[in-house]
Amino acid sequence: MSPQEQNASLSLPARLVCYLGPPAVALLTCIISPLTALFSPLAFLSTTYLYRKWRASNETNPSRRAPLESLLWTYTCVGSIGLAAVLLAQTAISSATLTLLFPFSSSAKEDFRNEFSRSSSEDLSPSELAHRTALAGSWRNWVFNAVFAYIIAALVEETLKYLPIIYARRRRGSSATASAPYLDYALAGALSFGVVETIGFLAAAAAAGSHHSWLRFALTILERVVAGALGHLLTAVLTALRAARYQSSWWRTIGPSVLLHGTWNFVAMAASAREGNVGWVHPTGVGNTVGMLSGVVGLLGVAALLVRGEWLALRQGEEKEK
């Protein structure tokens, strides 16, 4: 068997996951939301594109590519077991943060939790809207938004996306510095995470159920399928490149990705809060929406520049070693 064939070979269980996984996801999504199921294949576009890139690279330089079976199981585990663990960690940190913010009133804490979990405020009465707006402008909401953006979401999720790199490092030996296998494993984890997150956002937008829902749904597709997927992939690549340079430092490896991810989240949460919302509700004002999207585009640019810088630094380091 040639190196190319060895890299691309799949066991029977892996083939079953590959053939049955996407239809199972589509069926489950259809049960929850038929509209989401209709658009759910868009969530797999990045996966399909990068698989084709991996296959083409494997044909010309298989030694620099990770085995497809390992990538498939990484993809599956991150999107299932990994996300379940992340959800548990996020729930625990969220609960602890709310306890610190509302130490003397369990009813106020529960009220904030309920408001934060709303996906729409359209069915609320004027008095409920006034209460929600006051809560959105409170210091507690802004503190929680910052903790949510940088720790509950960014730190926990980027740590999950770092775990495949730890696996790749142990698989190749602790002294391995080649960036290509790290990239493969990091992208496999990021792609899986992005698929599940995108389907979740599509479902939330479809459940909005208002006359704004189609516009909101279209914006969600633009933000999650295009900008969101690109953001996850850029931070994954950034972490992988830094992992090849900094072998033993967890925070030095994922720190820039966490800061980029957290700032992205905080920009979105701030735009939501400026319209009187607690938690994430897609802004409807033109100014807020344009400002949020401009911030996202700017962060994508910063991420791309950081990736380019890390890539050039890594290449220069490899040339000096030769």
Side-chain angles (χ1 to χ4, degrees):
M1 183 180 292
S2 68
Q4 291 88 341
E5 293 173 335
Q6 188 174 0
N7 257 3
S9 64
L10 293 175
S11 64
L12 178 59
R15 289 180 181 274
L16 289 175
V17 169
C18 191
Y19 295 145
L20 300 179
V25 170
L27 179 61
L28 180 61
T29 306
C30 187
I31 294 173
I32 299 173
S33 170
L35 180 60
T36 304
L38 179 65
F39 288 93
S40 62
L42 294 174
F44 292 92
L45 288 178
S46 298
T47 300
T48 304
Y49 173 75
L50 288 177
Y51 166 68
R52 291 180 178 275
K53 298 290 288 185
W54 177 93
R55 189 172 62 180
S57 179
N58 184 57
E59 289 296 323
T60 58
N61 198 354
S63 64
R64 290 184 62 83
R65 299 272 62 94
L68 183 59
E69 174 140 359
S70 296
L71 297 178
L72 178 61
W73 287 119
T74 298
Y75 188 96
T76 304
C77 290
V78 169
S80 55
I81 300 171
L83 278 177
V86 161
L87 183 60
L88 289 174
Q90 290 175 329
T91 302
I93 299 172
S94 175
S95 180
T97 303
L98 288 177
T99 299
L100 291 174
L101 289 175
F102 301 94
F104 306 113
S105 176
S106 58
S107 60
K109 180 175 74 172
E110 192 61 29
D111 176 52
F112 184 91
R113 193 197 305 272
N114 291 336
E115 292 298 331
F116 193 86
S117 63
R118 291 185 189 274
S119 60
S120 173
S121 60
E122 293 176 358
D123 297 330
L124 298 180
S125 66
S127 60
E128 291 172 328
L129 283 173
H131 169 68
R132 182 174 170 84
T133 301
L135 197 58
S138 67
W139 68 267
R140 288 184 174 87
N141 183 52
W142 286 98
V143 169
F144 187 81
N145 281 347
V147 174
F148 181 88
Y150 287 97
I151 298 177
I152 297 175
L155 180 61
V156 174
E157 292 171 8
E158 293 301 328
T159 299
L160 170 65
K161 289 155 62 177
Y162 178 57
L163 295 181
I165 298 175
I166 295 177
Y167 170 74
R169 180 176 291 158
R170 292 184 176 181
R171 182 183 176 91
R172 294 175 58 85
S174 59
S175 61
T177 58
S179 60
Y182 288 170
L183 285 173
D184 288 351
Y185 284 101
L187 289 174
L191 287 168
S192 177
F193 184 92
V195 164
V196 177
E197 188 178 68
T198 297
I199 292 176
F201 274 99
L202 290 175
S210 71
H211 62 282
H212 296 295
S213 61
W214 278 106
L215 175 59
R216 201 170 295 173
F217 200 77
L219 281 173
T220 299
I221 291 175
L222 173 66
E223 294 161 359
R224 301 310 314 172
V225 177
V226 180
L230 184 57
H232 278 304
L233 295 178
L234 283 172
T235 54
V237 171
L238 180 60
T239 296
L241 293 174
R242 292 180 69 83
R245 295 181 64 198
Y246 309 114
Q247 290 290 307
S248 59
S249 176
W250 162 74
W251 175 250
R252 198 173 184 183
T253 300
I254 73 167
S257 296
V258 171
L259 293 177
L260 285 168
H261 191 159
T263 303
W264 178 308
N265 292 335
F266 191 77
V267 167
M269 300 295 285
S272 177
R274 280 173 55 86
E275 294 193 357
N277 294 306
V278 180
W280 169 248
V281 175
H282 199 293
T284 56
V286 175
N288 263 341
T289 302
V290 171
M292 181 186 71
L293 293 178
S294 298
V296 165
V297 171
L299 287 168
L300 287 175
V302 171
L305 289 174
L306 289 175
V307 166
R308 182 177 182 274
E310 291 294 334
W311 183 266
L312 292 176
L314 189 61
R315 294 281 76 80
Q316 290 173 358
E318 291 179 351
E319 289 175 1
K320 288 180 181 179
E321 293 176 359
K322 292 181 180 179

